[in-house]
């Protein structure tokens, strides 16, 4: 680059950047003019207002990356700024952004020239209190100033930066408090939603349990009713069967008739008739008929055998008031030899 004038260098660098934009060349490729400075993280800034400090320079250029070193050249006697400085970035690609965007930029009434530094030479500082073997002051080891002149990684050292940091901390606290309140509200809302979901699930579970219980009780009641009906039917059937057996037994063998017949001798038909009449103390036409048959067949009685087949239909009725047997009727009795 020519050093014949500041504006000439500014215009030359600006034209290079514009030409690359037209060609679509990216700054981090080998085709870019920035590529030859890939090993250096320093840029040169001139045209600075003499009232600007290192902190002002860092504030302006920190928008392109983390500044790790700034060296503003000052007059040794007065300490006044000479209007130019060297600045280093943590990331080398930040130098490309700074050169493309800040070269030709007007700051505090002056145009800035911003360019790469091929080989940065650190300033020489000597320790007057420490001398070498020849008696000369020992050169101090150069250390990067960091973003605030106190070394790399050291922040919030200047008064202006302290105020900025305090403001940012206050905003951060307010934001955190607001987010905490929002979080608390969100937590409350989430708890309320979860509680409503749990209540709804409990209601559904209770409703299902009620339906199951109702179905189970209904089924049990139905089963019990069926069992009672079956038991009642069985009792009725058993009662009818028992009554039928009792009635059949009384029909075949009336108690009084059987007792009378057992007491009467078989050889005497008259006695049989008498026994029949003794059933209810009344008239016995069948007994009389037996006597007539016996008298008419008396000759054959010694040589034959009398067989009697009796089909007796006895109607027995129990009196509600007297509670005794009303009548016993012998329907039919036949004698055969």
């Amino acid at each position: 680059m020519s050093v014949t004038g500041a504006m000439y260098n500014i215009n030359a660098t600006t034209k290079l950047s514009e030409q690359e934009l037209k060609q679509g060349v990216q700054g981090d490729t080998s085709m870019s003019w920035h590529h030859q400075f890939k090993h250096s993280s320093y840029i040169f800034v001139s045209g600075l207002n003499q009232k600007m400090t290192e902190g002002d320079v860092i504030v302006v250029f920190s928008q392109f990356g983390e500044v790790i070193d700034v060296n503003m050249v000052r007059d040794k006697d007065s300490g006044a700024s000479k209007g130019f400085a060297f600045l280093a970035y943590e990331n080398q690609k930040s130098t490309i952004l700074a050169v493309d965007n800040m070269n030709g930029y007007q700051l505090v009434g002056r145009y800035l020239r911003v360019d790469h530094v091929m080989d940065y030479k650190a300033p020489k500082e000597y320790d007057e209190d420490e001398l070498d073997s020849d008696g000369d002051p020992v050169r101090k080891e150069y250390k990067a100033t960091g973003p605030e002149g106190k070394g790399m990684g050291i922040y919030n050292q200047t008064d202006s930066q302290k105020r900025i940091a305090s403001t940012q901390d206050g905003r951060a606290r307010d934001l955190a408090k607001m987010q905490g309140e929002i979080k608390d509200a969100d937590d409350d809302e989430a708890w309320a939603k979860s509680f409503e979901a749990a209540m709804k699930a409990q209601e559904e579970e209770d409703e299902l349990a009620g339906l199951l219980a109702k179905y189970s009780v209904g089924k049990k009641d139905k089963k019990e009713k069926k069992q009672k009906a079956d038991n009642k039917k069985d009792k009725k059937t058993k009662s009818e069967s028992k009554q039928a057996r009792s009635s059949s037994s009384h029909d075949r063998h009336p108690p009084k008739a059987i007792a009378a017949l057992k007491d009467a001798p078989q050889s005497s038909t008259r006695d049989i008739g008498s026994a029949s009449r003794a059933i209810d103390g009344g008239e016995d036409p069948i007994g009389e008929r037996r006597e007539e048959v016996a008298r008419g067949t008396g000759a054959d009685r010694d040589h034959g055998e009398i067989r009697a087949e009796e089909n007796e239909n006895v109607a027995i009725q129990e009196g509600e008031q007297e509670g005794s047997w009303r009548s016993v009727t012998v329907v039919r009795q036949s004698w055969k030899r």
Side-chain angles (χ1 to χ4, degrees):
M1 295 288 180
S2 174
V3 292
T4 55
M7 291 303 301
Y8 177 82
N9 292 326
I10 292 173
N11 293 334
T13 303
T14 301
K15 288 181 180 179
L16 288 174
S17 298
E18 291 177 353
Q19 185 177 0
E20 284 192 352
L21 289 174
K22 292 179 181 180
Q23 294 177 355
V25 178
Q26 296 182 359
D28 58 348
T29 64
S30 59
M31 297 178 62
S32 173
W33 72 275
H34 297 285
H35 185 70
Q36 57 184 320
F37 304 101
K38 64 179 181 179
H39 62 280
S40 175
S41 295
Y42 278 88
I43 58 173
F44 171 76
V45 181
S46 63
L48 295 172
N49 189 295
Q50 292 184 348
K51 295 182 179 181
M52 294 181 65
T53 63
E54 290 85 351
D56 297 332
V57 175
I58 292 174
V59 169
V60 172
F61 284 88
S62 61
Q63 58 184 313
F64 305 109
E66 183 72 15
V67 177
I68 60 174
D69 186 26
V70 59
N71 177 22
M72 180 174 286
V73 180
R74 297 179 177 275
D75 184 82
K76 291 182 179 180
D77 296 332
S78 63
S81 172
K82 292 184 177 182
F84 64 93
F86 296 91
L87 185 142
Y89 284 103
E90 183 178 13
N91 189 336
Q92 193 274 336
K93 292 182 179 180
S94 298
T95 62
I96 300 173
L97 295 174
V99 171
D100 287 342
N101 289 277
M102 296 302 294
N103 182 59
Y105 185 82
Q106 187 176 3
L107 180 65
V108 195
R110 303 188 62 176
Y111 289 95
L112 300 180
R113 176 197 170 193
V114 182
D115 201 352
H116 291 282
V117 176
M118 179 66 70
D119 186 14
Y120 175 72
K121 294 181 179 179
K124 297 179 181 180
E125 292 184 1
Y126 296 93
D127 187 359
E128 300 292 339
D129 297 333
E130 185 177 356
L131 304 176
D132 59 9
S133 57
D134 296 333
D136 298 326
V138 177
R139 184 178 178 179
K140 294 181 180 180
E141 180 181 1
Y142 180 76
K143 294 182 180 180
T145 61
E148 297 183 20
K150 300 296 181 179
M152 293 180 59
I154 300 176
Y155 304 95
N156 303 328
Q157 298 299 314
T158 61
D159 294 339
S160 60
Q161 189 60 33
K162 287 179 180 179
R163 289 192 295 269
I164 294 173
S166 178
T167 303
Q168 290 178 347
D169 291 342
R171 291 179 180 178
R173 285 192 298 270
D174 294 340
L175 180 61
K177 184 178 179 180
M178 183 175 64
Q179 290 178 347
E181 293 176 355
I182 295 174
K183 184 178 180 181
D184 293 339
D186 293 341
D187 292 341
D188 293 340
E189 184 177 358
W191 181 86
K193 289 182 178 180
S194 64
F195 180 76
E196 291 177 359
M199 291 295 294
K200 186 177 181 180
Q202 185 65 34
E203 291 177 358
E204 293 178 353
E205 184 177 354
D206 294 341
E207 184 178 359
L208 179 60
L211 292 175
L212 291 175
K214 185 177 180 181
Y215 174 76
S216 177
V217 170
K219 190 175 181 182
K220 184 177 180 181
D221 293 342
K222 188 176 181 181
K223 186 176 180 181
E224 290 179 355
K225 289 180 180 179
K226 184 178 180 182
Q227 185 67 30
K228 289 181 179 179
D230 292 342
N231 293 338
K232 187 175 181 180
K233 185 176 180 181
D234 291 342
K235 288 182 179 180
K236 185 177 180 182
T237 303
K238 289 180 180 180
S239 178
E240 291 177 353
S241 176
K242 184 177 180 180
Q243 185 177 359
R245 287 197 301 271
S246 176
S247 178
S248 176
S249 175
H250 286 293
D251 289 345
R252 291 195 303 270
H253 309 290
K256 294 182 179 181
I258 293 172
L261 290 174
K262 284 183 179 181
D263 295 336
Q266 294 183 359
S267 61
S268 176
T269 58
R270 185 177 300 276
D271 293 337
I272 295 174
S274 299
S276 299
R277 286 193 299 271
I279 294 174
D280 57 354
E283 295 295 329
D284 186 11
I286 295 177
E288 295 175 355
R289 179 59 180 167
R290 287 176 179 173
E291 292 176 357
E292 293 176 358
V293 172
R295 287 194 300 269
T297 59
D300 298 332
R301 192 168 45 185
D302 296 336
H303 302 286
E305 179 180 346
I306 298 175
R307 298 181 60 189
E309 294 181 358
E310 297 178 0
N311 292 323
E312 300 169 357
N313 185 3
V314 182
I316 303 171
Q317 182 177 1
E318 181 180 0
E320 296 179 355
Q321 297 178 354
E322 297 177 356
S324 61
W325 293 89
R326 297 288 296 176
S327 63
V328 178
T329 304
V330 178
V331 178
R332 182 171 58 89
Q333 183 175 21
S334 61
W335 299 77
K336 292 185 182 179
R337 288 184 183 182

